[in-house]
Amino acid sequence: MSRTLKGIQVSSGIGIGRAFLIDRRKIKVEKYSVDVRDIQREIERFHKALDLSKKQLLEIKEKLVAEMGKKGHASIVDVHILILEDEMLVREAMKIVEKEHVNAEWALRKVLTQFASFFEAIDDPYIKDRRSDIEHVGERILRNLVGKTISSLDSLDHDVVVIAHDLSPADTAQMHREKVLAFATDMGSKTSHTAITARSLEIPAVVGLESISVSVKTGEPVIVDGNDGIVIINPEPEEFRKYLDKQKHYKYIVSGLLKFKDQPAETLDGYHVELKANIEFFDEIPHVLSRGAEGIGLYRTEFLYMDRKTLPTEEEHFQIYKNLAEQISPYSAVIRTLDLGGDKITSKLHEADEPNPVLGLRAIRFSLKHQDLFMLQLRAILRASAYGKLKILYPMISGIDELRQAKAVLAEVKHELESKGIGFDKGIQEGAMIEIPSAAMTVDLLAKEADFFSIGTNDLIQYSIAIDRGNEHVAYLYEPLHPSVLRSIKKTVTAAHSQGIKVAMCGEMAGDPLCTLILVGMGLDELSMNASSLPVVKKIIRSIRYQQAANLAYCIMTLSSAEEIEGYVGREMGSLFPEFF
Ligand code: PEP
Ligand code: MG
């Protein structure tokens, strides 16, 4: 019988295929005693699991090397193989089996727990990182001992619909290379980074389903409708047919919109809005250009630090930024400096656990504290700026002091490069993200010292309405059209224009077609979004007159609640664009 679940649609499109369950939870281990005569057999069983684990790791390594060359991800696998061969781990576990007459799983779990508390006591991020490596390897051996298949995206070799309790941004990053038709998770919300990555990779996705990971088994047929936030498990034949039709229709609409991709994003009366793309991965550039982007409005460089065990060197940063500058030419690219924190955590860089990571040492705060890392990144951006048009964007600026400090660090790096005779763009622009209410409230002061603004509505909404953007229980409060958010946007545009600087928006609101008219009418100079939203936003802009947009923006500022505004805008947009709303 078919079952239908409703969640939050985070990435459009329809994926139909067989489920592949990713189980990230720790494996449950039972304790049982082993007869003295069976100890040898228990030890052999353990060695078999070790051999199988090694075989699996070697296969993964081979696959990664074939796909990505020798370096990078494959070295993580080498570390895991070394751990697997570590005598201490094996010896300690065997000792427990022999002395306590217990099963190998139990013995291994005991050793892993001892290792974990030993590593926990050491206050060194590198060592802490090794701890998570050991845990990964330990879980692999345990799964092989109890005969559970290892569900990892590394081992995918056919098209699947990924189902998980939650996915880390690193998991989603891996989907980049894999054949993932769609994904659905228990956790998550529209602006969690997993959702953002899904949109930029154009993988249909529904999140916040609460219990999908316990409702589906690997291999069951599923439909993920990323347009309406619906997942159907074991669809009936007529549902299956209906969704195949819907999938075809969706593809038809998208291909129709793509006809405008090379036309300017201009209203009928010639008002131009720059439409740019947000990217997380450098190799998205050809794709975003094919969707009609006029440059990169946000490159989230923190993704350079994810899914790897060593920090990127200055040379690695430089090569990527240089390639970006060259490939995006004649357009420009905005490189946002490291914005780690919140749900974008990487074990390598993140220090002590913070009770409130979203309010913690993240983004520009982190960079200003770790100036060596910050300077390394700025040096690479400056050096790359000699090869094309690059701009620098500082994330999570809370007030003028942080902007001044960031600018002072850049000035120091410029000075250093100059003294060494290394070329860079002397007029490179420095922008501030407006995504914290304190910045929005003091935007007139920031406008005097920034070269441009970029409004990050994902965080601006999170901090204005005090809701965790990744928490599905408060997702209903996540209101881009809340009057407080609209007033902050308006205030930012007014302050920027009165100082003669441009204002962009790079939060997800910029790519929400329901908001396009309002944003154009409010005077945003640039909208930067995921590639998949570009065609529809462009089509809307090309179908209206500027005054229509300005009137709508004016009217909604007189309404009092998000609900009223959404209703009003929904009706207006529905009558103008019945094909989309
Ligand atoms: C934002 O907060 O709107 C933004 C664009 O930054 P991020 O989503 O990476 O936090
Ligand atoms: Mg942000």
Side-chain angles (χ1 to χ4, degrees):
M1 234 201 13
S2 92
R3 285 158 283 156
T4 301
L5 302 177
K6 177 85 183 92
I8 306 165
Q9 61 272 37
V10 295
S11 181
S12 318
I14 291 163
I16 304 174
R18 300 235 167 229
F20 180 81
L21 200 67
I22 296 192
D23 188 358
R24 285 275 174 276
R25 281 159 299 188
K26 277 195 173 166
I27 193 132
K28 282 205 179 66
V29 166
E30 308 268 329
K31 180 182 183 181
Y32 56 87
S33 50
V34 174
D35 195 281
V36 191
R37 286 164 303 186
D38 293 334
I39 296 282
Q40 199 45 43
R41 196 149 14 112
E42 196 61 14
I43 290 177
E44 278 164 22
R45 200 166 71 82
F46 185 64
H47 280 287
K48 260 197 199 140
L50 286 174
D51 290 346
L52 180 57
S53 305
K54 187 167 172 185
K55 186 167 164 262
Q56 289 162 345
L57 286 172
L58 285 170
E59 276 167 11
I60 293 172
K61 184 181 163 185
E62 214 170 278
K63 194 161 165 252
L64 286 173
V65 172
E67 276 173 12
M68 323 189 58
K70 255 196 160 354
K71 288 197 295 282
H73 299 61
S75 61
I76 305 169
V77 184
D78 278 333
V79 172
H80 286 195
I81 293 173
L82 280 176
I83 294 171
L84 198 65
E85 289 169 345
D86 184 82
E87 288 215 347
M88 191 143 105
L89 184 81
V90 179
R91 203 177 47 230
E92 290 301 310
M94 289 307 86
K95 248 198 236 164
I96 295 173
V97 173
E98 282 167 352
K99 271 199 187 151
E100 299 180 23
H101 299 176
V102 287
N103 51 322
E105 297 84 329
W106 185 258
L108 180 61
R109 175 64 87 216
K110 198 166 169 184
V111 177
L112 290 171
T113 313
Q114 282 165 3
F115 273 38
S117 49
F118 171 72
F119 282 113
E120 188 57 26
I122 300 174
D123 191 19
D124 178 315
Y126 180 79
I127 301 282
K128 285 217 160 82
D129 221 33
R130 298 286 74 76
R131 176 192 149 175
S132 76
D133 286 329
I134 292 174
E135 274 170 4
H136 273 112
V137 175
E139 287 304 312
R140 179 176 291 280
I141 309 170
L142 283 174
R143 280 179 184 275
N144 285 327
L145 270 170
V146 297
K148 276 214 167 195
T149 38
I150 292 156
S151 49
S152 147
L153 291 172
D154 310 342
S155 50
L156 275 184
D157 58 2
H158 55 289
D159 289 354
V160 291
V161 172
V162 170
I163 309 286
H165 176 63
D166 196 13
L167 291 168
S168 68
D171 278 327
T172 335
Q174 257 189 7
M175 289 185 189
H176 200 34
R177 306 190 308 270
E178 306 295 347
K179 296 174 168 183
V180 176
L181 298 168
F183 73 77
T185 60
D186 297 341
M187 310 269 291
S189 73
K190 258 202 161 123
T191 51
S192 56
H193 281 88
T194 299
I196 292 174
T197 314
R199 279 194 289 280
S200 75
L201 300 177
E202 301 198 5
I203 299 174
V206 177
V207 303
L209 288 150
E210 294 187 355
S211 60
I212 182 132
S213 68
V214 288
S215 320
V216 183
K217 288 194 208 70
T218 289
E220 273 189 304
V222 272
I223 294 172
V224 174
D225 177 353
N227 300 339
D228 292 331
I230 285 171
V231 176
I232 305 175
I233 306 161
N234 267 327
E236 301 291 344
E238 64 272 22
E239 286 173 311
F240 188 69
R241 273 194 298 276
K242 178 178 138 191
Y243 275 91
L244 275 179
D245 281 349
K246 269 186 132 183
Q247 191 181 44
K248 230 194 267 162
H249 181 67
Y250 177 76
K251 286 184 179 161
Y252 170 75
I253 296 264
V254 172
S255 66
L257 290 171
L258 281 176
K259 290 192 190 119
F260 300 98
K261 81 176 178 55
D262 296 322
Q263 311 279 334
E266 227 168 61
T267 61
L268 294 169
D269 45 351
Y271 180 88
H272 186 82
V273 184
E274 283 181 71
L275 291 194
K276 300 194 175 173
N278 294 350
I279 57 167
E280 276 91 51
F281 308 101
F282 162 71
D283 51 1
E284 285 176 76
I285 294 171
H287 176 66
V288 304
L289 289 174
S290 77
R291 291 289 187 261
E294 300 171 295
I296 302 299
L298 173 68
Y299 175 29
R300 290 185 163 97
T301 58
E302 51 279 6
F303 280 79
L304 277 173
Y305 293 76
M306 282 182 198
D307 204 16
R308 56 180 292 156
K309 295 285 160 183
T310 54
L311 293 176
T313 61
E314 181 182 324
E315 209 45 39
E316 282 177 76
H317 279 281
F318 167 70
Q319 284 303 338
I320 287 180
Y321 304 152
K322 175 175 176 277
N323 284 339
L324 173 64
E326 285 172 346
Q327 282 197 32
I328 206 69
S329 173
Y331 301 121
S332 64
V334 175
I335 301 186
R336 182 176 69 182
T337 61
L338 185 59
D339 184 9
L340 279 182
D343 63 341
K344 292 175 285 193
I345 289 171
T346 142
S347 54
K348 181 73 204 165
L349 274 184
H350 242 256
E351 305 180 11
D353 287 343
E354 295 183 305
N356 284 309
V358 177
L359 303 179
L361 187 68
R362 53 174 300 201
I364 196 68
R365 305 162 188 188
F366 182 91
S367 293
L368 291 173
K369 180 161 182 227
H370 298 276
Q371 282 206 11
D372 46 342
L373 286 176
F374 191 35
M375 289 175 100
L376 178 149
Q377 183 174 28
L378 292 175
R379 217 177 286 124
I381 301 174
L382 282 177
R383 285 171 56 204
S385 71
Y387 298 85
K389 288 187 210 151
L390 296 180
K391 299 181 192 183
I392 300 174
L393 179 60
Y394 302 121
M396 303 266 311
I397 291 289
S398 64
I400 197 78
D401 287 335
E402 273 169 343
L403 178 61
R404 285 182 183 157
Q405 285 171 42
K407 288 178 73 173
V409 178
L410 187 78
E412 199 181 323
V413 179
K414 279 183 176 173
H415 186 69
E416 180 196 323
L417 292 185
E418 261 170 1
S419 66
K420 290 185 181 153
I422 299 172
F424 62 91
D425 171 10
K426 301 233 163 43
I428 193 164
Q429 290 196 5
E430 293 170 82
M433 282 201 73
I434 305 298
E435 51 183 344
I436 299 185
S438 61
M441 291 300 289
T442 53
V443 77
D444 51 324
L445 306 173
L446 291 166
K448 293 186 184 137
E449 300 187 27
D451 297 322
F452 67 97
F453 286 148
S454 191
I455 305 176
T457 48
N458 307 339
D459 279 317
L460 183 62
I461 298 167
Q462 157 163 272
Y463 297 120
S464 296
I465 310 179
I467 38 143
D468 176 350
R469 66 194 254 194
N471 181 339
E472 69 274 20
H473 302 299
V474 287
Y476 72 98
L477 280 172
Y478 194 90
E479 294 285 7
L481 296 175
H482 191 291
S484 85
V485 177
L486 295 174
R487 287 178 195 196
S488 293
I489 297 171
K490 184 75 202 144
K491 202 170 154 65
T492 305
V493 175
T494 308
H497 288 174
S498 70
Q499 288 298 327
I501 64 171
K502 286 196 172 180
V503 55
M505 179 180 285
C506 63
E508 294 303 292
M509 187 177 180
D512 181 349
L514 187 74
C515 301
T516 305
L517 240 60
I518 303 172
L519 299 177
V520 172
M522 279 181 150
L524 268 297
D525 300 296
E526 175 187 316
L527 299 175
S528 188
M529 63 198 75
N530 286 294
S532 57
S533 303
L534 284 164
V536 61
V537 169
K538 186 180 277 188
K539 162 90 177 157
I540 291 175
I541 292 175
R542 288 182 58 80
S543 314
I544 48 128
R545 293 189 168 275
Y546 175 73
Q547 202 50 47
Q548 277 177 286
N551 290 347
L552 183 66
Y554 181 79
C555 286
I556 56 160
M557 294 308 267
T558 63
L559 302 175
S560 341
S561 76
E563 197 183 335
E564 283 171 36
I565 298 172
E566 209 169 292
Y568 186 81
V569 176
R571 283 189 299 278
E572 287 292 305
M573 295 300 278
S575 72
L576 287 168
F577 303 98
E579 69 275 37
F580 301 137
F581 301 101

